[in-house]
Amino acid sequence: MRVRSELLADAWLVASKDLRIERSSRVVASQVLPFGLIVLILFGFGISPDRRVVEADRTVLEQVAPGLFWLTVFLASLLALGRSFAIESADGSLEALRLTGLDPGGVFLGKSLAVAAELLVLEALLGAGALLLYGAPLGHPFLLMVVVVAATASIAAAGTLYSALASGSRVRDTLVPVLVLPALAPALLGATLATEAALFGPPSDGWPWAGLLGAFAVLYFGAGMLSFGLMLEET
Amino acid sequence: MYWNYVLIGYVVVFGGLGLYAVSLLRRGRNLAEQVEPDRRRFLD
Amino acid sequence: MVSVRDAVCLLGNFPALAGADLELESGEVVLLEGPNGAGKSTLLRLCAGLIGLRQGSGDVLGNDLATRGGRQQTRRAVGLLAHHSALYGELTVEENVRFWSRANRAFDADVEPALERLGLSDRLRSVPVAALSAGQRRRTALAVVVCRRARLWLLDEPHAGLDAAGRDLVDGLVRDAAAAGATVLLSSHEIDRATDLAHRVVRVVAGQTPVSGGHS
Amino acid sequence: MSPPTSTGPAATPTGSKLTRVLGSLSLAFLAIFLLFGLMLSPPEVSQREAVRLFYIHVPSAVIALYLAFGLTAVGSVVYLRKRSTFWDLLAWSAAEIGVLFCAFTLVTGMLWGRPTWGVFWKWDPRLTSTAISFVLFIGYLAVRQLDLTPEARSSRAAVLGIIGFLNTIVVRFSVSWWQSLHQGTTLNPVDTQMDGLHLLSFFLGFATLALVFSWLLVHRFRVAWLAHQAGEAGLDRALAERRAEATGRTV
């Protein structure tokens, strides 16, 4: 039990440090959020917002809104992840973290939780934007909440793991999307379909996908906590 | 029309395998010149 | 304390250390001297457990540098002032020192005296590190090292970027640490100053430590 | 362990008795397969002549996704536990050939789809998940080229090799599930009933590609081993130069 609480304490130390940096620099708020917003708007342009599908009497945009929303979050998360590792590589902090007594699993947990927290705020604002712009109804809030949490955890954990994999390299910024996006494909699928079910029903279609998202998040949190030390070990 | 697709497929796959095999043998030959005989374990 | 024999360390494909030896006794202050690119920083990083050995052997504070576990133990035990200060520009001086001292499992109570000792306890404590001068940044990084209360101090160019008062401050810290029983290994281009400070000089040339170079 | 000259003057450095046996078997099977696949096997009821593409499409997919990437995952696990260069290089070799077979799966899948479905691309689970894993393992090959120390490259690639394989399974599963919601029964090669010559040709295709895969794997591994050894020799030279620097002499 002592080991466990130490891990959580380490995670909290790192996460609160990252969030404090965000509070004073506001990079995610002032850059990543507007990026997400513009992507959301441009998707609308790309899809001809008012075209209707006769059978469902829903606009095309309404129908694809869940997918577009999550795709926007995925793209924005790449920037948030880049930022999360840019603050460590700016002045050699990643190496200094190796010199500390911090549990590497805790560092991983802390960094991914900070990213997750930032993403949750981003999703709340983008989600409100999507509801207004795309005009999707809010069907089953509880399922939606579960999906949002599970999908965010998946993105944050997988994203942090792959960012760590590429960290210390000069090509980190270009390599991370190539690794993260295909890896997250099942999460995008699950999040989109579960959100669709949460908005338009029936929710019973969404729960299995929420389960897949949960399992995916657990896989990546486990893998990240086990391997983070290894990836910090050698650079 | 079916045959066109079939033939393209076979040429791409087996031609691709052939090209890759040739490139592997070349790479091996070039590298072998840089390696002393006593370092060539796993080569037979 | 420290015993490195015939160490070969690689930086990528380059043998930065090509057979270096180093013996440090408890309480010693030793200066690494040599031209740029001689391998001083690599030797310090080896002693910090940051890089692996390709050949040779190394023992720091009873930990074997050839093993992962040994290097990990070493990293937790030493205090390294590296080339990079490892400070977060967005956080204030105090926030940085507090974060690193917690991460290093140091005592919170040591933060205040360290800030004071390095002249960071007044206005500067609440200034974001990004707004500091190079010298002030170096002093903040030193405050982090001081908080660690390590038995082995590894200082890579601690005098660089500091004014005369700052350099005196560094010398004072090193003397105090040695007096308290710590061992200090440092590199410096301030040869006269550092030679006065050190009990012994180890010369590093092309990744090696020729025996003839020592004088006291 | 025998000196390289024993493989004969004309032999390539990465060739040996093993590869000669595998190579001849591959060529023999290839000839038989081409005979059956392109000539003896009759057109199938629903796929017509396109069934001939299916003989190489499905084996490439299975070999790439499960055999090659599975081998990468196993090699990665063993590497991380034992730090053995052998398994590290084997994992790398399998991944590279796996990516090649993935590309074949995509090409033959699309060529099969055009006459059968009328379009090059359909969101068929096998094709879609192969495309995703293809990109993921291209990422693996990129990690092998990172500008880090060789140890860091190897251990990070090993982490990716294991997770990438697990992820491949999750992708395959989720894409199938997704497709089962959307489409009822589209023509899927595995569902079609095959008999006699079709089945024989299919197994011949499988055997041929598996043999070619193992022949390539042995050669690729040996190339990787030679490259590793050339790197080590280069380091020894660099070390000697660095040592000579101290005394002011050059080598």
Side-chain angles (χ1 to χ4, degrees), chain C residues 34-148:
Chain C
N36 285 329
K40 304 187 294 294
S41 293
T42 310
L43 189 51
L44 283 161
R45 285 162 52 80
L46 172 70
C47 293
L50 282 169
I51 41 179
L53 276 170
R54 187 178 158 83
Q55 279 172 33
S57 63
D59 183 289
V60 171
L61 303 168
N63 305 303
D64 183 2
L65 290 180
T67 66
R68 264 153 207 282
R71 288 199 293 273
Q72 192 179 18
Q73 290 301 320
T74 306
R75 290 204 295 271
R76 292 179 178 193
V78 302
L80 172 72
L81 179 76
H83 219 62
H84 285 288
S85 304
L87 300 170
Y88 298 105
E90 295 83 353
L91 300 183
T92 66
V93 168
E94 187 179 350
E95 283 171 329
N96 264 295
V97 178
R98 282 200 188 280
F99 170 76
W100 286 113
S101 95
R102 280 207 190 129
N104 290 329
R105 312 260 190 255
F107 300 108
D108 273 352
D110 284 342
V111 171
E112 204 48 53
L115 288 175
E116 207 155 304
R117 179 79 201 259
L118 285 141
L120 301 164
S121 56
D122 300 333
R123 182 188 60 86
L124 282 175
R125 72 160 65 224
S126 47
V127 173
V129 164
L132 295 182
S133 72
Q136 290 165 333
R137 225 179 273 204
R138 209 67 185 146
R139 278 197 262 161
T140 311
L142 272 163
V144 173
V145 176
V146 169
C147 286
R148 277 193 96 141

Side-chain angles (χ1 to χ4, degrees), chain A residues 161-162 164-171 175 179 182-183 185-186 189 193 208-209 212 219-220 223 227 230-231 234-235, chain D residues 80 83 132 135-136 139 142-143 146-149 151-152 155-156 159-160 163 166-167 170-171 173-175 177-178 181:
Chain A
L161 172 56
Y162 288 120
L165 245 160
S167 69
S169 154
R170 284 187 296 274
V171 298
L175 181 57
L179 297 174
L189 213 48
L193 291 171
W209 288 107
L212 173 80
L219 169 77
Y220 268 99
S227 65
L230 194 77
M231 291 189 287
E234 295 139 344
T235 44
Chain D
L80 288 182
R83 298 280 153 183
I132 292 169
V135 179
L136 196 57
V143 168
L146 278 181
D147 48 336
L148 302 169
T149 61
E151 294 77 30
S155 53
R156 290 179 188 203
V159 170
L160 182 55
I163 303 172
L166 295 178
N167 210 311
V170 179
V171 167
F173 161 74
S174 59
V175 172
W177 189 9
W178 169 56
L181 299 177

Side-chain angles (χ1 to χ4, degrees), chain D residues 1-234:
Chain D
M1 299 299 138
S2 57
T5 45
S6 72
T7 54
T12 54
T14 50
S16 66
K17 201 174 194 177
L18 174 67
T19 58
R20 277 200 299 273
V21 171
L22 280 174
S24 334
L25 270 176
S26 302
L27 287 176
F29 265 81
L30 178 62
I32 303 172
F33 167 63
L34 288 178
L35 184 71
F36 275 85
L38 292 178
M39 293 161 81
L40 295 181
S41 135
E44 203 253 0
V45 187
S46 48
Q47 307 174 38
R48 311 276 292 279
E49 306 290 355
V51 72
R52 303 180 200 285
L53 281 165
F54 159 78
Y55 299 149
I56 44 180
H57 171 68
V58 177
S60 319
V62 173
I63 289 172
L65 294 185
Y66 302 108
L67 185 58
F69 296 157
L71 208 52
T72 301
V74 171
S76 301
V77 170
V78 180
Y79 172 72
L80 288 182
R81 306 201 83 197
K82 295 191 178 163
R83 298 280 153 183
S84 110
T85 306
F86 175 89
W87 286 100
D88 181 40
L89 297 179
L90 188 69
W92 185 359
S93 309
E96 188 177 296
I97 305 174
V99 165
L100 184 74
F101 275 67
C102 260
F104 293 156
T105 309
L106 293 174
V107 170
T108 52
M110 286 163 74
L111 289 167
W112 181 87
R114 182 68 176 80
T116 321
W117 293 326
V119 287
F120 279 112
W121 188 269
K122 223 173 192 183
W123 296 93
D124 165 68
R126 182 173 295 105
L127 222 48
T128 311
S129 55
T130 306
I132 292 169
S133 299
F134 179 59
V135 179
L136 196 57
F137 275 85
I138 285 180
Y140 174 94
L141 297 182
V143 168
R144 302 248 43 154
Q145 308 290 343
L146 278 181
D147 48 336
L148 302 169
T149 61
E151 294 77 30
R153 272 200 297 266
S154 295
S155 53
R156 290 179 188 203
V159 170
L160 182 55
I162 298 165
I163 303 172
F165 180 62
L166 295 178
N167 210 311
T168 293
I169 294 170
V170 179
V171 167
R172 181 75 174 83
F173 161 74
S174 59
V175 172
S176 302
W177 189 9
W178 169 56
Q179 273 310 304
S180 69
L181 299 177
H182 282 241
Q183 318 175 268
T185 47
T186 44
L187 180 60
N188 194 317
V190 186
D191 299 335
T192 48
Q193 288 296 314
M194 291 199 307
D195 45 22
L197 282 173
H198 293 133
L199 214 53
L200 179 65
S201 309
F202 173 68
F203 282 122
L204 280 172
F206 213 119
T208 307
L209 285 174
L211 280 168
V212 173
F213 174 80
S214 32
W215 182 85
L216 287 173
L217 186 65
V218 174
H219 275 289
R220 179 63 187 87
F221 171 80
R222 288 174 178 170
V223 168
W225 177 257
L226 281 175
H228 176 73
Q229 290 300 332
E232 300 277 294

